[in-house]
PDB file of all heavy atoms in Angstrom:
ATOM      1  N   ASP A  99       8.915  29.412  19.386  1.00 83.00           N
ATOM      2  CA  ASP A  99       7.804  30.042  20.089  1.00 83.00           C
ATOM      3  C   ASP A  99       8.308  30.520  21.449  1.00 83.00           C
ATOM      4  O   ASP A  99       8.119  29.859  22.473  1.00 83.00           O
ATOM      5  CB  ASP A  99       6.666  29.042  20.260  1.00 83.00           C
ATOM      6  CG  ASP A  99       5.416  29.687  20.854  1.00 83.00           C
ATOM      7  OD1 ASP A  99       5.496  30.867  21.237  1.00 83.00           O
ATOM      8  OD2 ASP A  99       4.383  29.013  20.934  1.00 83.00           O
ATOM      9  N   ARG A 223       0.397   6.264   5.234  1.00 93.00           N
ATOM     10  CA  ARG A 223      -0.962   6.464   4.742  1.00 93.00           C
ATOM     11  C   ARG A 223      -1.109   6.399   3.220  1.00 93.00           C
ATOM     12  O   ARG A 223      -2.215   6.518   2.686  1.00 93.00           O
ATOM     13  CB  ARG A 223      -1.493   7.809   5.241  1.00 93.00           C
ATOM     14  CG  ARG A 223      -1.847   7.749   6.711  1.00 93.00           C
ATOM     15  CD  ARG A 223      -1.606   9.075   7.387  1.00 93.00           C
ATOM     16  NE  ARG A 223      -1.117   8.872   8.739  1.00 93.00           N
ATOM     17  CZ  ARG A 223      -1.881   8.547   9.771  1.00 93.00           C
ATOM     18  NH1 ARG A 223      -3.158   8.394   9.630  1.00 93.00           N
ATOM     19  NH2 ARG A 223      -1.347   8.355  10.947  1.00 93.00           N
ATOM     20  N   GLY A 337       0.715   1.401  18.054  1.00 94.00           N
ATOM     21  CA  GLY A 337       0.838   1.827  16.670  1.00 94.00           C
ATOM     22  C   GLY A 337       1.848   1.025  15.881  1.00 94.00           C
ATOM     23  O   GLY A 337       2.102   1.313  14.716  1.00 94.00           O
ATOM     24  N   GLU A 345       5.548  -9.651  21.525  1.00 93.00           N
ATOM     25  CA  GLU A 345       5.300  -8.391  22.224  1.00 93.00           C
ATOM     26  C   GLU A 345       6.496  -7.943  23.036  1.00 93.00           C
ATOM     27  O   GLU A 345       6.844  -6.776  23.055  1.00 93.00           O
ATOM     28  CB  GLU A 345       4.132  -8.552  23.202  1.00 93.00           C
ATOM     29  CG  GLU A 345       2.817  -8.823  22.566  1.00 93.00           C
ATOM     30  CD  GLU A 345       1.683  -8.354  23.421  1.00 93.00           C
ATOM     31  OE1 GLU A 345       1.722  -8.625  24.631  1.00 93.00           O
ATOM     32  OE2 GLU A 345       0.771  -7.701  22.886  1.00 93.00           O
ATOM     33  N   HIS A 362       1.060   1.327  12.212  1.00 93.00           N
ATOM     34  CA  HIS A 362      -0.364   1.472  11.938  1.00 93.00           C
ATOM     35  C   HIS A 362      -0.742   2.857  11.463  1.00 93.00           C
ATOM     36  O   HIS A 362      -0.048   3.818  11.719  1.00 93.00           O
ATOM     37  CB  HIS A 362      -1.128   1.284  13.231  1.00 93.00           C
ATOM     38  CG  HIS A 362      -1.562  -0.098  13.426  1.00 93.00           C
ATOM     39  ND1 HIS A 362      -2.855  -0.454  13.619  1.00 93.00           N
ATOM     40  CD2 HIS A 362      -0.841  -1.221  13.431  1.00 93.00           C
ATOM     41  CE1 HIS A 362      -2.913  -1.746  13.752  1.00 93.00           C
ATOM     42  NE2 HIS A 362      -1.720  -2.240  13.656  1.00 93.00           N
ATOM     43  N   ARG A 487       6.126 -26.586  60.608  1.00 91.00           N
ATOM     44  CA  ARG A 487       5.151 -27.519  60.024  1.00 91.00           C
ATOM     45  C   ARG A 487       4.902 -28.680  60.990  1.00 91.00           C
ATOM     46  O   ARG A 487       3.761 -29.133  61.152  1.00 91.00           O
ATOM     47  CB  ARG A 487       5.638 -28.034  58.670  1.00 91.00           C
ATOM     48  CG  ARG A 487       5.406 -27.025  57.547  1.00 91.00           C
ATOM     49  CD  ARG A 487       5.575 -27.642  56.172  1.00 91.00           C
ATOM     50  NE  ARG A 487       5.485 -26.608  55.138  1.00 91.00           N
ATOM     51  CZ  ARG A 487       4.322 -26.140  54.664  1.00 91.00           C
ATOM     52  NH1 ARG A 487       3.174 -26.634  55.102  1.00 91.00           N
ATOM     53  NH2 ARG A 487       4.318 -25.194  53.752  1.00 91.00           N
ATOM     54  N   ARG A 506       2.797 -14.634  60.375  1.00 94.00           N
ATOM     55  CA  ARG A 506       3.132 -13.612  59.390  1.00 94.00           C
ATOM     56  C   ARG A 506       2.851 -12.210  59.940  1.00 94.00           C
ATOM     57  O   ARG A 506       3.678 -11.306  59.835  1.00 94.00           O
ATOM     58  CB  ARG A 506       2.312 -13.825  58.114  1.00 94.00           C
ATOM     59  CG  ARG A 506       2.543 -12.781  57.016  1.00 94.00           C
ATOM     60  CD  ARG A 506       1.592 -12.985  55.838  1.00 94.00           C
ATOM     61  NE  ARG A 506       1.531 -14.366  55.415  1.00 94.00           N
ATOM     62  CZ  ARG A 506       2.493 -14.986  54.756  1.00 94.00           C
ATOM     63  NH1 ARG A 506       3.577 -14.331  54.402  1.00 94.00           N
ATOM     64  NH2 ARG A 506       2.389 -16.256  54.431  1.00 94.00           N
TER      65      ARG A 506
ATOM     66  P     C B   5      -6.963  11.612   3.019  1.00 78.63           P
ATOM     67  OP1   C B   5      -6.069  10.897   2.098  1.00 78.63           O
ATOM     68  OP2   C B   5      -8.435  11.570   2.815  1.00 78.63           O
ATOM     69  O5'   C B   5      -6.683  11.137   4.509  1.00 78.63           O
ATOM     70  C5'   C B   5      -5.350  11.062   5.007  1.00 78.63           C
ATOM     71  C4'   C B   5      -5.361  10.683   6.461  1.00 78.63           C
ATOM     72  O4'   C B   5      -6.089  11.689   7.214  1.00 78.63           O
ATOM     73  C3'   C B   5      -6.091   9.391   6.790  1.00 78.63           C
ATOM     74  O3'   C B   5      -5.269   8.259   6.562  1.00 78.63           O
ATOM     75  C2'   C B   5      -6.369   9.585   8.278  1.00 78.63           C
ATOM     76  O2'   C B   5      -5.203   9.401   9.052  1.00 78.63           O
ATOM     77  C1'   C B   5      -6.752  11.072   8.306  1.00 78.63           C
ATOM     78  N1    C B   5      -8.200  11.277   8.190  1.00 78.63           N
ATOM     79  C2    C B   5      -8.999  11.080   9.333  1.00 78.63           C
ATOM     80  O2    C B   5      -8.458  10.718  10.379  1.00 78.63           O
ATOM     81  N3    C B   5     -10.332  11.289   9.256  1.00 78.63           N
ATOM     82  C4    C B   5     -10.874  11.672   8.095  1.00 78.63           C
ATOM     83  N4    C B   5     -12.206  11.873   8.065  1.00 78.63           N
ATOM     84  C5    C B   5     -10.098  11.871   6.918  1.00 78.63           C
ATOM     85  C6    C B   5      -8.774  11.661   7.004  1.00 78.63           C
ATOM     86  P     U B  13      -2.471  -0.432  18.364  1.00 78.63           P
ATOM     87  OP1   U B  13      -1.524   0.576  17.866  1.00 78.63           O
ATOM     88  OP2   U B  13      -3.872  -0.391  17.916  1.00 78.63           O
ATOM     89  O5'   U B  13      -1.840  -1.864  18.070  1.00 78.63           O
ATOM     90  C5'   U B  13      -2.206  -2.641  16.968  1.00 78.63           C
ATOM     91  C4'   U B  13      -1.776  -4.059  17.233  1.00 78.63           C
ATOM     92  O4'   U B  13      -2.597  -4.607  18.290  1.00 78.63           O
ATOM     93  C3'   U B  13      -1.969  -5.017  16.074  1.00 78.63           C
ATOM     94  O3'   U B  13      -0.850  -4.937  15.199  1.00 78.63           O
ATOM     95  C2'   U B  13      -2.038  -6.349  16.779  1.00 78.63           C
ATOM     96  O2'   U B  13      -0.756  -6.805  17.147  1.00 78.63           O
ATOM     97  C1'   U B  13      -2.816  -5.991  18.045  1.00 78.63           C
ATOM     98  N1    U B  13      -4.275  -6.215  17.914  1.00 78.63           N
ATOM     99  C2    U B  13      -4.687  -7.539  17.818  1.00 78.63           C
ATOM    100  O2    U B  13      -3.913  -8.470  17.846  1.00 78.63           O
ATOM    101  N3    U B  13      -6.045  -7.706  17.706  1.00 78.63           N
ATOM    102  C4    U B  13      -7.000  -6.724  17.662  1.00 78.63           C
ATOM    103  O4    U B  13      -8.176  -7.034  17.555  1.00 78.63           O
ATOM    104  C5    U B  13      -6.486  -5.386  17.760  1.00 78.63           C
ATOM    105  C6    U B  13      -5.168  -5.175  17.880  1.00 78.63           C
ATOM    106  P     A B  14      -1.047  -5.229  13.686  1.00 78.63           P
ATOM    107  OP1   A B  14       0.238  -4.893  13.044  1.00 78.63           O
ATOM    108  OP2   A B  14      -2.297  -4.612  13.213  1.00 78.63           O
ATOM    109  O5'   A B  14      -1.213  -6.816  13.665  1.00 78.63           O
ATOM    110  C5'   A B  14      -0.130  -7.639  14.104  1.00 78.63           C
ATOM    111  C4'   A B  14      -0.442  -9.086  13.855  1.00 78.63           C
ATOM    112  O4'   A B  14      -1.541  -9.517  14.686  1.00 78.63           O
ATOM    113  C3'   A B  14      -0.910  -9.415  12.446  1.00 78.63           C
ATOM    114  O3'   A B  14       0.196  -9.533  11.572  1.00 78.63           O
ATOM    115  C2'   A B  14      -1.576 -10.763  12.664  1.00 78.63           C
ATOM    116  O2'   A B  14      -0.627 -11.813  12.706  1.00 78.63           O
ATOM    117  C1'   A B  14      -2.188 -10.597  14.060  1.00 78.63           C
ATOM    118  N9    A B  14      -3.630 -10.360  14.033  1.00 78.63           N
ATOM    119  C8    A B  14      -4.305  -9.187  14.251  1.00 78.63           C
ATOM    120  N7    A B  14      -5.618  -9.316  14.184  1.00 78.63           N
ATOM    121  C5    A B  14      -5.795 -10.672  13.905  1.00 78.63           C
ATOM    122  C6    A B  14      -6.948 -11.458  13.716  1.00 78.63           C
ATOM    123  N6    A B  14      -8.182 -10.972  13.783  1.00 78.63           N
ATOM    124  N1    A B  14      -6.773 -12.764  13.443  1.00 78.63           N
ATOM    125  C2    A B  14      -5.528 -13.260  13.384  1.00 78.63           C
ATOM    126  N3    A B  14      -4.377 -12.620  13.551  1.00 78.63           N
ATOM    127  C4    A B  14      -4.579 -11.315  13.814  1.00 78.63           C
ATOM    128  P     A B  25      -1.704 -15.454  24.860  1.00 78.63           P
ATOM    129  OP1   A B  25      -0.848 -16.277  25.735  1.00 78.63           O
ATOM    130  OP2   A B  25      -3.179 -15.616  24.881  1.00 78.63           O
ATOM    131  O5'   A B  25      -1.380 -13.926  25.124  1.00 78.63           O
ATOM    132  C5'   A B  25      -0.028 -13.478  25.207  1.00 78.63           C
ATOM    133  C4'   A B  25      -0.014 -11.992  25.419  1.00 78.63           C
ATOM    134  O4'   A B  25      -0.604 -11.343  24.266  1.00 78.63           O
ATOM    135  C3'   A B  25      -0.853 -11.493  26.584  1.00 78.63           C
ATOM    136  O3'   A B  25      -0.172 -11.612  27.821  1.00 78.63           O
ATOM    137  C2'   A B  25      -1.066 -10.031  26.191  1.00 78.63           C
ATOM    138  O2'   A B  25       0.084  -9.263  26.420  1.00 78.63           O
ATOM    139  C1'   A B  25      -1.282 -10.167  24.681  1.00 78.63           C
ATOM    140  N9    A B  25      -2.718 -10.313  24.369  1.00 78.63           N
ATOM    141  C8    A B  25      -3.414 -11.451  24.057  1.00 78.63           C
ATOM    142  N7    A B  25      -4.698 -11.245  23.840  1.00 78.63           N
ATOM    143  C5    A B  25      -4.849  -9.872  24.036  1.00 78.63           C
ATOM    144  C6    A B  25      -5.964  -9.012  23.961  1.00 78.63           C
ATOM    145  N6    A B  25      -7.193  -9.416  23.661  1.00 78.63           N
ATOM    146  N1    A B  25      -5.762  -7.709  24.211  1.00 78.63           N
ATOM    147  C2    A B  25      -4.533  -7.294  24.523  1.00 78.63           C
ATOM    148  N3    A B  25      -3.399  -7.990  24.617  1.00 78.63           N
ATOM    149  C4    A B  25      -3.634  -9.291  24.362  1.00 78.63           C
ATOM    150  P     C B  35       1.521 -24.254  51.301  1.00 78.63           P
ATOM    151  OP1   C B  35       2.774 -24.584  51.991  1.00 78.63           O
ATOM    152  OP2   C B  35       0.331 -25.155  51.332  1.00 78.63           O
ATOM    153  O5'   C B  35       1.033 -22.843  51.813  1.00 78.63           O
ATOM    154  C5'   C B  35       0.277 -22.758  53.015  1.00 78.63           C
ATOM    155  C4'   C B  35       0.467 -21.393  53.593  1.00 78.63           C
ATOM    156  O4'   C B  35       1.790 -21.289  54.186  1.00 78.63           O
ATOM    157  C3'   C B  35       0.446 -20.270  52.572  1.00 78.63           C
ATOM    158  O3'   C B  35      -0.893 -19.885  52.334  1.00 78.63           O
ATOM    159  C2'   C B  35       1.245 -19.186  53.267  1.00 78.63           C
ATOM    160  O2'   C B  35       0.468 -18.449  54.180  1.00 78.63           O
ATOM    161  C1'   C B  35       2.283 -19.981  54.068  1.00 78.63           C
ATOM    162  N1    C B  35       3.612 -20.040  53.448  1.00 78.63           N
ATOM    163  C2    C B  35       4.450 -18.913  53.568  1.00 78.63           C
ATOM    164  O2    C B  35       4.021 -17.918  54.153  1.00 78.63           O
ATOM    165  N3    C B  35       5.700 -18.964  53.054  1.00 78.63           N
ATOM    166  C4    C B  35       6.110 -20.064  52.428  1.00 78.63           C
ATOM    167  N4    C B  35       7.342 -20.056  51.937  1.00 78.63           N
ATOM    168  C5    C B  35       5.275 -21.208  52.277  1.00 78.63           C
ATOM    169  C6    C B  35       4.048 -21.160  52.812  1.00 78.63           C
ATOM    170  P     A B  38      -2.777 -10.929  44.702  1.00 78.63           P
ATOM    171  OP1   A B  38      -3.758  -9.949  44.217  1.00 78.63           O
ATOM    172  OP2   A B  38      -3.057 -12.384  44.598  1.00 78.63           O
ATOM    173  O5'   A B  38      -1.391 -10.607  43.984  1.00 78.63           O
ATOM    174  C5'   A B  38      -0.933 -11.393  42.927  1.00 78.63           C
ATOM    175  C4'   A B  38       0.552 -11.189  42.809  1.00 78.63           C
ATOM    176  O4'   A B  38       1.196 -11.690  44.023  1.00 78.63           O
ATOM    177  C3'   A B  38       1.197 -11.959  41.685  1.00 78.63           C
ATOM    178  O3'   A B  38       1.117 -11.226  40.470  1.00 78.63           O
ATOM    179  C2'   A B  38       2.620 -12.086  42.192  1.00 78.63           C
ATOM    180  O2'   A B  38       3.338 -10.866  42.054  1.00 78.63           O
ATOM    181  C1'   A B  38       2.383 -12.364  43.679  1.00 78.63           C
ATOM    182  N9    A B  38       2.176 -13.792  43.924  1.00 78.63           N
ATOM    183  C8    A B  38       1.023 -14.451  44.243  1.00 78.63           C
ATOM    184  N7    A B  38       1.157 -15.752  44.378  1.00 78.63           N
ATOM    185  C5    A B  38       2.493 -15.957  44.120  1.00 78.63           C
ATOM    186  C6    A B  38       3.281 -17.120  44.095  1.00 78.63           C
ATOM    187  N6    A B  38       2.802 -18.349  44.332  1.00 78.63           N
ATOM    188  N1    A B  38       4.595 -16.992  43.794  1.00 78.63           N
ATOM    189  C2    A B  38       5.068 -15.759  43.552  1.00 78.63           C
ATOM    190  N3    A B  38       4.431 -14.598  43.544  1.00 78.63           N
ATOM    191  C4    A B  38       3.137 -14.764  43.836  1.00 78.63           C
ATOM    192  P     C B  75       2.401  33.042  15.969  1.00 78.63           P
ATOM    193  OP1   C B  75       2.439  34.179  16.866  1.00 78.63           O
ATOM    194  OP2   C B  75       3.617  32.619  15.278  1.00 78.63           O
ATOM    195  O5'   C B  75       1.834  31.793  16.785  1.00 78.63           O
ATOM    196  C5'   C B  75       1.946  30.517  16.212  1.00 78.63           C
ATOM    197  C4'   C B  75       2.205  29.552  17.317  1.00 78.63           C
ATOM    198  O4'   C B  75       0.949  28.964  17.693  1.00 78.63           O
ATOM    199  C3'   C B  75       3.087  28.393  16.943  1.00 78.63           C
ATOM    200  O3'   C B  75       4.436  28.726  17.020  1.00 78.63           O
ATOM    201  C2'   C B  75       2.661  27.376  17.995  1.00 78.63           C
ATOM    202  O2'   C B  75       3.260  27.676  19.219  1.00 78.63           O
ATOM    203  C1'   C B  75       1.150  27.634  18.076  1.00 78.63           C
ATOM    204  N1    C B  75       0.371  26.751  17.190  1.00 78.63           N
ATOM    205  C2    C B  75      -0.088  25.530  17.720  1.00 78.63           C
ATOM    206  O2    C B  75       0.190  25.259  18.881  1.00 78.63           O
ATOM    207  N3    C B  75      -0.797  24.692  16.934  1.00 78.63           N
ATOM    208  C4    C B  75      -1.061  25.022  15.679  1.00 78.63           C
ATOM    209  N4    C B  75      -1.772  24.162  14.948  1.00 78.63           N
ATOM    210  C5    C B  75      -0.603  26.254  15.118  1.00 78.63           C
ATOM    211  C6    C B  75       0.106  27.082  15.887  1.00 78.63           C
TER     212        C B  75
END
Side-chain angles (χ1 to χ4, degrees):
Chain A
D99 186 354
R223 286 148 216 282
E345 295 206 315
H362 267 236
R487 281 194 186 278
R506 178 186 313 287

